[in-house]
Amino acid sequence: MRPLEIAALVVLACAALTRFAPAATRPRWTRPLPWFALALFVVHAIVEGARWPLYPAYALALLLSLLAVRRVPEAAPRRSRRTVGRVVGALGALLIVGLSAVFAAGFPIFEYPPPSGPYGVGTTRLAFVDSARVDPFAPKPERRRELLANVWYPAEVEAGAPRAPFWPRDTDAEAAIGLPAFAFSHLALVPAHASPDAPMARAKARWPVIIYSHGFNSTPWQNVVQMEELASHGFVVVSLGHTYDASRLTFPDGHVVLDNSRTRKPMPSGEAQQEVARLSAKLDSVADPDSTRATWRHMEEYFAQVGVYVLPSTDVWYDDTRFLIHRLTAIDAGTDQETVGTRDRFAGRLDLERLGVAGMSFGGSTAGVTCIRDRRCKAGVNIDGWQFGQILDHPLHVPFLFMSREGNGQFPVFFGSSADLLHVEVRGTTHGSFADLAIAMPFFRWIALPNLALLGTTDGAIIERVMSRYLLAFFQRYLLDVPQPLLDAPSPPDDLRDATLTVVRPSTARPAPNAPSGPS
């Protein structure tokens, strides 16, 4: 927690204890404590920023301050009743203070290490309209498909330059775990390390590009730590928001597009969800490529049968990514006149011959499909995503990294590649661990309920370090041809000991049944 938060909560706890102590035992100097606590909270709200975990503490401080305005005489009769009332009041007040402290620490205003690369990091937004496509998810017919991207890039950042928020307020991400938007509001108070619209670095003429796709019902600001790390080492990272499947996208003209995936195709029934869970558990338990593919085919057929809402998005997200590559090509050539945002800084600066595609969850599935169908993808990463789409029958032709939670047995589905396959499994993680949630809300690591294992047991800082180091090493090797001892080491270094690396070379991978599809 932040200094003023801690100080205000300590003073508030003291004020609550003295308020409910017998009048004869209260020292005179304790009378101003409620006002002092309230004043500290006001200063905290102005200097540090108010936030929802402390709302109960704010209310308690105001209540105690109002009660302290005048001295209320003690009632004479029934001393035992007064004693019980004091005890209950003190315990209730301390419970409010304690819960406020727990939630403030569980949803923290955190600091994280600055990116390790030699360049500063800039960030900007770009908005696009694909005039050639009717948006199949838009509630209004014949609406063209519009997209929003956030970009991180190597930049010339002056000392003291303003810093972007970790997640801006207009994301309202729910991260597909059903939490209300306010649970993420504290992230707008966390300063990131990127500077908005900073000038692009001049150290090189062109910079390699990585396109990133978020998870279902998440945000283009997901995985900020990795975006900044890659940008600081000389990559332009374009994180694409997939409209109507992202939680919320705010476009430059102010209009907002919300996720409507569940309304346009509801989740299946409880019985169907149990069958999906059974197939998923079976998929995680097999290790043979043929069995993995067979289970995947069964799962995709069942998804289609019960109408799981994510399947229609497979081709749409791929088309989004393919369109973005076309638009980035035009931006680099200086011929683009339609993109909204500071696109000119990227003219002549994008090395699209060194293009990587990555994503988390459903975005990871999109990365796999893109690397199969579009020859412009030179390397790809799937972070713990179910690999929907053509990968069962069309082997990858580019190096591919699958990063996964502990116990995820889906890696053999990628076998048959004509290039290197890498698998990084992270101990003590769950699916949500890879979406910034482990550092953004460690509260869900602290609770160990049987049906609420959202974030596993591994500390968020460790997970972020594993993701950043392996993603950087992978793209430096396979896009820049820079040797990476980390990817050849038989065991990881001590600070990455929670990760296990498996490398499958083309000569040892079992072939997939069909040849890869042609270039797009």
Side-chain angles (χ1 to χ4, degrees), residues 15-53:
L17 286 173
T18 57
R19 170 65 199 176
F20 293 102
T25 64
R26 299 175 200 163
R28 182 178 295 272
W29 64 266
T30 63
R31 292 179 184 175
L33 282 179
W35 303 324
F36 186 32
L38 183 62
L40 281 174
F41 278 128
V42 171
V43 175
H44 139 77
I46 295 172
V47 175
E48 296 177 332
R51 58 195 188 102
W52 70 265

Side-chain angles (χ1 to χ4, degrees), residues 118-196:
Y119 308 109
V121 179
T123 184
T124 193
R125 298 190 192 190
L126 299 175
F128 315 91
V129 175
D130 186 351
S131 57
R133 269 197 303 162
V134 172
D135 194 328
F137 301 152
K140 294 182 179 180
E142 302 302 316
R143 187 177 182 88
R144 301 293 110 174
R145 180 74 169 167
E146 57 182 349
L147 299 165
L148 184 73
N150 202 67
V151 187
W152 288 264
Y153 55 90
E156 309 282 351
V157 180
E158 297 180 357
R163 293 162 64 178
F166 191 80
W167 283 12
R169 291 190 185 277
D170 59 13
T171 59
D172 285 352
E174 296 176 6
I177 59 175
L179 293 178
F182 75 82
F184 295 84
S185 61
H186 67 292
L187 296 180
L189 300 174
V190 177
H193 296 293
S195 180

Side-chain angles (χ1 to χ4, degrees), residues 408-419:
N408 188 333
Q410 300 173 41
F411 182 52
V413 78
F414 298 94
F415 285 13
S417 172
S418 58

Side-chain angles (χ1 to χ4, degrees), residues 97-357:
V97 174
L99 288 177
S100 295
V102 167
F103 281 106
F107 296 82
I109 306 300
F110 56 89
E111 294 183 2
Y112 61 101
S116 65
Y119 308 109
V121 179
T123 184
T124 193
R125 298 190 192 190
L126 299 175
F128 315 91
V129 175
D130 186 351
S131 57
R133 269 197 303 162
V134 172
D135 194 328
F137 301 152
K140 294 182 179 180
E142 302 302 316
R143 187 177 182 88
R144 301 293 110 174
R145 180 74 169 167
E146 57 182 349
L147 299 165
L148 184 73
N150 202 67
V151 187
W152 288 264
Y153 55 90
E156 309 282 351
V157 180
E158 297 180 357
R163 293 162 64 178
F166 191 80
W167 283 12
R169 291 190 185 277
D170 59 13
T171 59
D172 285 352
E174 296 176 6
I177 59 175
L179 293 178
F182 75 82
F184 295 84
S185 61
H186 67 292
L187 296 180
L189 300 174
V190 177
H193 296 293
S195 180
D197 290 311
M200 200 164 190
R202 297 184 295 270
K204 295 181 181 179
R206 291 181 179 272
W207 306 93
V209 177
I210 298 170
I211 293 176
Y212 186 86
S213 287
H214 55 76
F216 221 85
N217 190 228
S218 191
T219 166
W221 282 265
Q222 181 187 307
N223 297 105
V224 168
V225 180
Q226 288 69 54
M227 308 299 181
E228 292 181 342
E229 179 69 4
L230 290 166
S232 77
H233 285 270
F235 294 92
V236 175
V237 187
V238 186
S239 182
L240 180 60
H242 297 280
T243 318
Y244 298 106
D245 285 330
S247 60
R248 176 188 178 106
L249 297 177
T250 303
F251 285 83
D253 62 1
H255 81 278
V256 175
V257 177
L258 302 176
D259 165 59
N260 68 3
S261 58
R262 289 173 173 82
T263 57
R264 68 175 186 257
K265 199 156 191 116
M267 283 289 288
S269 65
E271 181 180 346
Q273 290 184 39
Q274 291 177 5
E275 177 64 10
V276 170
R278 186 189 70 80
L279 289 171
S280 177
K282 181 180 179 182
L283 187 64
D284 284 347
S285 66
V286 299
D288 175 77
D290 292 335
S291 298
T292 304
R293 288 197 186 94
T295 303
W296 257 114
R297 287 193 179 90
H298 186 182
M299 181 177 284
E300 287 200 333
E301 290 171 359
Y302 190 77
F303 279 1
Q305 174 186 338
V306 300
V308 172
Y309 66 92
V310 297
L311 286 182
S313 297
T314 304
D315 289 334
V316 175
W317 285 34
Y318 163 70
D319 288 339
D320 291 346
T321 307
R322 184 170 176 268
F323 165 77
L324 178 60
I325 299 173
H326 290 324
R327 187 57 64 85
L328 292 176
T329 302
I331 289 174
D332 178 65
T335 59
D336 176 73
Q337 300 297 322
E338 300 178 18
T339 299
V340 177
T342 53
R343 63 180 185 272
D344 291 344
R345 66 161 47 94
F346 300 113
R349 309 301 305 278
L350 304 179
D351 184 358
L352 291 164
E353 294 298 315
R354 300 185 180 192
L355 174 69
V357 182

